[in-house]
Amino acid sequence: MKKKAKINTIRNIGIIAHIDAGKTTVTERILYYTGRSHKIGEVHDGEAVMDWMVDEQERGITITSAVTTCQWANHEIHIIDTPGHVDFTIEVERSLRVLDGVIGVFSAVEGVEPQSETVWRQADKYGVPKMAFINKLDRIGADFIGTVEMMQERLNANPLILQLPVGQGEDFTDIIDLIEMKQIRWDEETLGASYHFEDIADEYQKEAETYREKMIEAAAEFDDEVMEAYLSEEPIDSHKVLEAIRKATVSLELVPVLCGSALRNKGIQPLLDAIIDLLPSPVDIPAIQGTDPESGDIIKCQAKDSEPLAALIFKVAMMEGRKLSFVRVYSGKMKVGEELYNPSLKKKEKLTRILQMHANKRERVEAVGAGSIVGVVGLKESSTGETLCSAAHPVLLEEIEFYEPVISVAVEPKTHADQEKIEAVLKKFLAEDPTLRVRQDEDTGQTILSGMGELHLQIITSRMQREFNTKVNVGQPQVVYRETIANRAEASAIFDKEIAGQRQYGDVSLRVLPLPRGTGTRFLSKISQQDLPQGFIDAVQKGSLESLESGAMMGYPVVDVEITLTGVNHKDSLSTELAYTVSASMACRDALAKAAPFLLEPIMDAEVFVPEAFMGDVIGDLNARGGKIESIDHKMGSQVIRATVPLARMFGYSTSLRSATQGRGTFSMQFSHFDRS
């Protein structure tokens, strides 16, 4: 039986970045040098271990976050390789929710790109300590210091350079370690598996000394001994410097910066050492807080096996037809065969298997303790974002926030056999993916899929056909709009009917007001609990908010509206909660229809990289699409145009951009906000 790792030797880390910065290539090298895989899988060959789905291999991108475990220097490292494409941001979000540290991978050529910013902000939101690995230093146009400066400007990070490249672009050969003040050289014949330290080349000595001085000055602020030695100009022990940097990293004060070229097998072993030396174990971070489901009291879940169980399901996947739940254990132990309690559902679930994950391969284990990230089988009803605990010590961990979809497609089964399968297949996708929405169009009978972007929906429809052999016709993508109102309006409604032999009566008056963009919706009551019991006020709130799910214009959800309950007519023996719910819904729909409703469309933040010669054509095209140019910056031989543009006008933009720039322009975009169309 496999020996259990001590909790302070566990590292739960994620690798985050913009698409094509080299995250998966970095992960593949980590797996190779730690002995987890015996062959280097390349993304461009479709052989990366972590990109195991057929769609990932064909497209050369990561779509689903993959979990693996490897060993380095007597430590157990759990790694989650996350997607870099904006359509799969939820995969990053839910991974960051359960990680103790992340490595941000940046391309030395492109620097900090839009999705890098998004995932970095997500890591900030969850207070996750970060390290940076500046990759692709062997590529023409690589700029190590320029990328570090971009980290400061765009991410508001406080980067601390721990390594310097020897040469850049075609001249890149080695890396200088500023802590040990040595030059690291890799042996190309062993695919970078063997490397050695040597003295720093004379021409780089002065630069190395300058950056080491800056590094020690920054580290000294977090350790009195280092500060004392620094001020008295005494030799400083490298272990003390590492301890000071670790302290600053864990407390989110500094971001250590390392460098290399994963594709050329350079820089990975020092990165692994830095993961062990600088990123926290589960006991180094504050205990996660949960709440008592009954009393609402705060409960701290200490990272100890002896504590009551607290675990979070952060992802559900269907593998070979079976439901596999990915779980982070924060405190306590989980054993095969035991009953667990889900406080959200108030139900018990039985664990039939616990699996140590390695991408889509797995290894069975009998029990796991605090700090572990594992796959579990046997959970029938529990889903993403829900807590598992012991029935004797219930605790509810904070749920994961999900994003609202911005784009839809209609799908129709090709044959009667496909019609029978489609519902079951979509049910499986909904269990896996909380950002996917499915509804039936009442007018056409079509099934409407809504998701985070064109690629997201392409992957879903592709998987329907590949994995489940369900053939569908797919319509053109449609934008998911929102509705809101321009004016104030009031309405009343009476519901007075006999249902199942009982008369149900409710009489409600409501007022609706527009709110500033992005405020959301809120419900207020001008009626006191003396005039109407709280249960009936809650019923009015329920009916009002349910009516916002389908607007008066085109049936889109209504946002940025305040609903106020202004009057009721209450009959003691006849008024029921059901009647108030229905009458509130009727009154709210009537008021919304009177309040000058209008559509809001999704506006995207777009970033377009174009050679200078084509800039005029590209700006003209963006203006024609209703875009507003925010800024134009020069970067590494290209112009970077930042603009906001309606999503509805951006379909097919990649083709237009390629033809306008002779195939040399690239762009990325992500959702910004909803605004008037």
Side-chain angles (χ1 to χ4, degrees), residues 16 20 33 63 74 102 111 168 213 260 302 326 343 428 452 500 502 521 528 547 619 629 661:
I16 59 171
D20 210 27
Y33 298 133
I63 291 166
N74 298 318
V102 294
Q168 293 188 87
E213 181 85 4
Q302 303 289 346
F326 290 83
K428 288 178 179 176
M452 300 300 292
Q502 184 188 349
T521 54
S528 71
S547 70
I619 289 174
I629 308 300
T661 61

Side-chain angles (χ1 to χ4, degrees), residues 495 502-506 508 532-543 570 574-584:
F495 181 82
Q502 184 188 349
R503 193 171 159 206
Q504 313 256 359
Y505 179 85
V508 170
L532 189 69
Q534 185 61 42
F536 291 131
I537 294 174
D538 292 343
V540 171
Q541 180 173 355
K542 182 179 176 228
H570 184 65
L574 302 178
S575 292
T576 63
E577 289 185 11
L578 172 65
Y580 276 117
T581 300
V582 177
S583 58

Side-chain angles (χ1 to χ4, degrees), residues 375-633:
V376 300
V377 177
L379 307 181
K380 289 188 171 65
E381 296 183 55
S382 300
S383 62
T384 303
E386 291 176 353
T387 306
L388 298 174
C389 58
S390 69
H393 300 92
V395 61
L396 201 54
L397 301 176
E398 186 187 348
E399 293 200 354
I400 300 168
E401 289 179 21
F402 300 127
Y403 298 90
E404 288 300 312
V406 293
I407 194 166
S408 295
V409 291
V411 295
E412 291 176 336
K414 285 191 175 177
T415 66
H416 182 66
D418 294 321
Q419 172 73 56
E420 291 173 354
K421 280 196 282 185
I422 194 167
E423 198 173 311
V425 170
L426 287 174
K427 200 172 176 184
K428 288 178 179 176
F429 283 134
L430 287 170
E432 278 190 19
D433 187 347
T435 57
L436 181 68
R437 302 279 190 279
V438 177
R439 66 179 176 86
Q440 295 295 124
D441 189 304
E442 290 174 10
D443 298 329
T444 64
Q446 289 175 313
T447 300
I448 309 295
L449 303 185
S450 302
M452 300 300 292
E454 282 184 272
L455 182 61
H456 183 199
L457 295 176
Q458 281 171 20
I459 298 296
I460 294 290
T461 51
S462 166
R463 287 183 64 199
M464 286 172 80
Q465 297 180 45
R466 280 184 202 274
E467 292 177 31
F468 298 98
N469 200 25
T470 308
K471 294 180 172 55
V472 289
N473 294 317
V474 183
Q476 288 298 311
Q478 303 291 322
V479 171
V480 176
Y481 292 90
R482 296 283 183 273
E483 294 184 21
T484 192
I485 55 173
N487 300 333
R488 162 189 172 136
E490 297 188 3
S492 301
I494 298 172
F495 181 82
D496 187 0
K497 280 191 178 173
E498 193 171 297
I499 299 173
Q502 184 188 349
R503 193 171 159 206
Q504 313 256 359
Y505 179 85
D507 181 356
V508 170
S509 297
L510 297 172
R511 180 177 66 231
V512 293
L513 282 174
L515 291 175
R517 207 62 60 242
T519 308
T521 54
R522 60 176 177 238
F523 176 84
L524 304 173
S525 173
K526 290 280 177 74
I527 307 299
S528 71
Q529 289 184 34
Q530 281 79 27
D531 296 330
L532 189 69
Q534 185 61 42
F536 291 131
I537 294 174
D538 292 343
V540 171
Q541 180 173 355
K542 182 179 176 228
S544 305
L545 296 180
E546 280 176 359
S547 70
L548 299 181
E549 290 171 13
S550 177
M553 277 187 78
M554 296 174 69
Y556 290 111
V558 181
V559 295
D560 302 336
V561 171
E562 179 183 279
I563 304 164
T564 306
L565 172 60
T566 54
V568 290
N569 187 2
H570 184 65
K571 295 185 178 178
D572 278 341
S573 57
L574 302 178
S575 292
T576 63
E577 289 185 11
L578 172 65
Y580 276 117
T581 300
V582 177
S583 58
S585 180
M586 291 160 58
C588 193
R589 285 176 192 278
D590 191 14
L592 291 171
K594 293 177 184 173
F598 61 91
L599 282 182
L600 297 171
E601 67 178 328
I603 305 297
M604 311 300 281
D605 280 331
E607 188 165 278
V608 189
F609 283 76
V610 288
E612 198 155 348
F614 306 105
M615 202 166 73
D617 292 344
V618 171
I619 289 174
D621 185 34
L622 284 170
N623 287 333
R625 292 171 186 270
K628 291 179 185 165
I629 308 300
E630 304 280 324
S631 68
I632 300 171
D633 299 318

Side-chain angles (χ1 to χ4, degrees), residues 105-116:
V105 177
F106 301 97
S107 163
V109 180
E110 286 83 11
V112 178
E113 297 171 275
Q115 185 63 5
S116 307

Side-chain angles (χ1 to χ4, degrees), residues 133-137 144 161-167 171-186 195-201 204 208 257-262 264-271:
F133 180 75
I134 296 178
N135 192 27
K136 301 193 177 185
L137 280 162
F144 175 72
I161 295 171
L162 305 188
Q163 295 176 347
L164 291 173
V166 175
D171 301 328
F172 173 65
T173 55
D174 303 336
I175 287 167
I176 294 168
D177 180 342
L178 297 176
I179 290 176
E180 299 297 340
M181 280 303 272
K182 290 286 182 187
Q183 191 163 320
I184 312 173
R185 176 157 293 177
W186 277 265
Y195 58 101
H196 61 275
F197 291 82
E198 53 187 53
D199 291 337
I200 298 169
Y204 290 98
V257 178
L258 295 90
C259 62
S261 166
R264 297 282 167 261
N265 310 315
K266 294 177 181 181
I268 302 300
Q269 294 94 333
L271 176 63

